Amino acid sequence: MNIILKPVEIISNRSIAKDVYVLSFQRDFNFTAGQIIAVDIIPNGTPRLYSIASGENEKNIDILFDEKLDGKLTPFLSNLTSGDTIYVSEPFGDFRCEDENCWFIASGTGIAPFVSMIRSGMAKGKKLIHGGKYDENFYFSDLIEKELKNDFVRCASQQMDTLFYKGRLTKWLEEQHVFSKEISYYLCGSSEMVVDVRDFLIKKGVSFDKIISETYF
């Protein structure tokens, strides 16, 4: 795939948790919630892929990323400020939701495409399970809680005094007894989570074609 990058000016780059940022720039393309863009700090480098976290009709594009100290891009992205330039591609990808009723299951920054879907008016009939290390890692919680209310489950794997479910999201899933075989399950996050949850759902009788996944590396 030949990815063409074009320059855009950063509007803001704000820290929302330890080593986690939301970078914004003005939108000049249409996209479908769930799609991704390629991003780099130079026009001819090796871009990285990020899910869009904005709503389809919002004026700015938000991308959510966590800084990896040994990463080839995020240590540079995290230092950018308003007025700096990055290079981005047109949106692409087919991790899209057309279901009226389904589950969203995310780990870490894998919440981004689901945030985009919720901000695009797709909250009705959805249940979202989000796994993070600490309470501060439940990004966009205010927005999600407002839209999903009791259908928003937060699973904190490392915070002893969490305000939410204490344990990994896979542990929470294992404690549930009923998994509808009629709805789809959308998974986004680390490859470990995606594989573990997919295998678990299949064992529970969910057919493979009802499990749609996007893996973050």
Side-chain angles (χ1 to χ4, degrees), residues 126 143-154:
K126 309 303 191 295
L143 164 74
I144 299 169
E145 189 170 37
K146 179 181 177 182
E147 296 293 333
L148 299 188
K149 299 180 173 60
N150 292 333
D151 285 321
F152 178 31
V153 178
R154 283 158 279 195

Side-chain angles (χ1 to χ4, degrees), residues 57-111:
N57 296 316
E58 295 176 348
K59 66 178 183 179
N60 295 333
I61 294 295
D62 291 343
I63 59 169
L64 173 68
F65 69 93
D66 54 346
E67 182 182 12
K68 306 290 187 184
L69 294 180
D70 59 347
K72 295 184 180 300
L73 181 61
T74 56
F76 302 100
L77 280 184
S78 63
N79 285 316
L80 298 177
T81 60
S82 175
D84 288 337
T85 298
I86 58 171
Y87 296 84
V88 304
S89 73
E90 293 287 319
F92 60 97
D94 55 7
F95 187 70
R96 295 176 249 181
C97 177
E98 298 178 355
D99 296 283
E100 289 188 4
N101 298 284
C102 63
W103 282 26
F104 295 155
I105 303 174
S107 62
T109 56
I111 195 72

